[in-house]
Amino acid sequence: MAGEPAAAGSAAGTGSTTGASSTDTVEDAPVVLPGPRAEESGFELLWQQVVAEIGRARSIDLICHICPDGDALGSALAAGLALKGLGKEVRVSFGDDPQIVPESLAFLPGQELIVPASAVPEVPELVLCFDVAAESRLGLLHDKAFAAPVLVVLDHHASNPGFGTHQLIDPDAPATAVLVDELLRRLGVELDQSLATCLYTGVATDTGSFRYRATTPATHELAGRLLATGIRHDLISRQLWDTSSFGYLKVLAGALDRAVYEPDAAGGLGLVWTWVPYQELVLFSVTVEEIEGLIDILRRPAEAEVALVLKQDPDGTLRGSSRSKGAVDVAAACAELGGGGHVYAAGFSAREDVHVVVERFRAALEPRRD
């Protein structure tokens, strides 16, 4: 999920839980390079196990969450391109039907690797899962992912419960792309412009163009290595944040006109919320993916600690995106509505009336009284 990751010090997922291959060790393991949580012996062993599983596999399916953002799709495509270069049979997919790659991500290399969910084997040999905070975010690929004897989860969401056979979960990482960079280094893959474009997109997306709190000196060092390949970060940023259809401006105008400010919500810290009906998207030929950035506009008012955008799908489902400025844990609030995410950025889905959903979210924001 795009947005501000949890603050440093959050609890992380641990090692493998199931699967016959989870206790294997690496023969002729590569030199251990510094990376996310590399100082922890258990996490280091887990990295070695994953590298060994990849080395043994002939066919690898790489999947990310439904309605993928830059970190999810960028991570999956970077890993896919790298593994294809190592001679693996690879497929990249996500569990939507129809599958829609947002226009803002149309520039990403490696999209020839993307296949529909139906093309993923019923029992894949090995699945690598990127940026999926909860099983429900697997969509149509849920059953196929869990049928695999090896399901590796690479993620940075603090709310991730730790599903799969191997969990490379680091809530201190600002983006899942950081974990993919670590994976590529351990596989001995050198960065090129295609890989760097995918990884830079992931990191830039989930750090809010390096503005969010989880951005560290190491994040900028990674960005420097990616820029050193010769990628045009200015063009990537323009495509991600500064390009839209005219229809989007009309949808944005309607959403802002419907915006509601509730100063007493979130324990008096304030909530601003709005929603976008599906009919309006149809009227202006705008996809729901195109309005993902609306939440970053709605979060601007100084009066409100929390922002919420509800986007309606064709079947009436409301997708909620929420943001906090730091004083409220929106991941906990979204978890009460069946979702999750980061402390400062989280989401959920609901099938109720707009005002019912807002009421439930408002209630979840209230401080707990013991």
Side-chain angles (χ1 to χ4, degrees):
M1 178 177 297
E4 219 163 320
S10 302
T14 55
S16 98
T17 56
T18 60
S21 302
S22 61
T23 57
D24 292 339
T25 57
V26 179
E27 296 181 2
D28 301 323
V31 175
V32 174
L33 297 169
R37 296 178 57 190
E39 73 284 356
E40 299 181 27
S41 59
F43 210 58
E44 172 57 36
L45 177 60
L46 185 56
W47 272 115
Q48 294 180 17
Q49 292 170 356
V50 170
V51 169
E53 294 287 3
I54 291 173
R56 284 189 285 268
R58 180 187 61 83
S59 174
I60 302 175
D61 287 273
L62 304 98
I63 63 177
C64 59
H65 62 68
I66 55 175
C67 304
D69 58 9
D71 191 26
L73 192 58
S75 295
L77 290 175
L81 287 169
L83 292 172
K84 182 180 180 182
L86 293 176
K88 304 295 182 179
E89 176 187 336
V90 300
R91 288 172 292 269
V92 175
S93 190
F94 50 96
D96 288 309
D97 184 19
Q99 286 182 337
I100 299 175
V101 174
E103 187 64 29
S104 62
L105 301 177
F107 67 92
L108 284 176
Q111 294 191 45
E112 68 278 4
L113 301 178
I114 298 177
V115 301
S118 59
V120 174
E122 293 298 323
V123 183
E125 180 182 357
L126 168 62
V127 171
L128 301 181
C129 179
F130 301 92
D131 204 44
V132 179
E135 294 179 26
S136 60
R137 299 284 286 163
L138 290 169
L140 297 175
L141 287 171
H142 177 278
D143 292 349
K144 292 182 177 182
F146 278 85
V150 181
L151 171 56
V152 179
V153 176
L154 295 96
D155 190 28
H156 70 126
H157 291 91
S159 64
N160 194 307
F163 62 92
T165 62
H166 300 70
Q167 303 100 33
L168 290 169
I169 303 171
D170 186 0
D172 292 340
T176 296
V178 173
L179 293 160
V180 176
D181 173 66
E182 175 74 3
L183 176 63
L184 301 192
R185 291 195 292 164
R186 288 171 180 270
L187 292 172
V189 175
E190 293 187 9
L191 290 174
D192 59 20
Q193 289 190 7
S194 293
L195 295 175
T197 296
C198 293
L199 293 177
Y200 186 90
T201 298
V203 174
T205 298
D206 266 27
T207 60
S209 193
F210 306 95
R211 293 181 292 119
Y212 295 158
R213 182 176 178 180
T215 304
T216 66
T219 312
H220 286 288
E221 290 171 4
L222 170 57
R225 288 196 289 111
L226 299 175
L227 293 178
T229 65
I231 61 173
R232 289 286 302 275
H233 66 283
D234 56 329
L235 299 182
I236 294 174
S237 297
R238 184 185 306 166
Q239 187 69 24
L240 289 174
W241 293 290
D242 298 331
T243 302
S244 71
S245 66
F246 180 74
Y248 167 77
L249 298 182
K250 304 295 285 186
V251 171
L252 173 61
L256 294 180
D257 187 57
R258 284 187 293 274
V260 177
Y261 168 51
E262 300 186 9
D264 296 330
L269 295 176
L271 164 69
V272 59
W273 66 272
T274 191
W275 77 292
V276 179
Y278 178 70
Q279 292 84 349
E280 201 162 283
L281 298 177
V282 173
L283 177 63
F284 296 110
S285 300
V286 173
T287 65
V288 70
E289 291 77 19
E290 193 175 349
I291 62 171
E292 286 298 313
L294 174 57
I295 185 66
D296 294 315
I297 297 175
L298 200 70
R299 71 187 298 192
R300 293 181 182 179
E303 297 90 341
E305 165 67 22
V306 179
L308 171 69
V309 173
L310 298 173
K311 298 152 290 187
Q312 190 178 49
D313 282 342
D315 65 357
T317 298
L318 293 171
R319 300 188 203 173
S321 296
S322 65
R323 298 290 186 272
S324 165
K325 293 175 181 175
V328 174
D329 182 354
V330 291
C334 289
E336 293 195 25
L337 281 79
H342 306 293
V343 173
Y344 306 126
F348 61 88
S349 295
R351 293 297 303 272
E352 298 152 305
D353 177 79
V354 170
H355 292 283
V356 173
V357 174
V358 173
E359 176 58 35
R360 290 179 60 203
F361 182 75
R362 185 189 302 114
L365 290 175
E366 292 305 307
R368 296 291 178 263
R369 294 178 174 85
D370 297 328

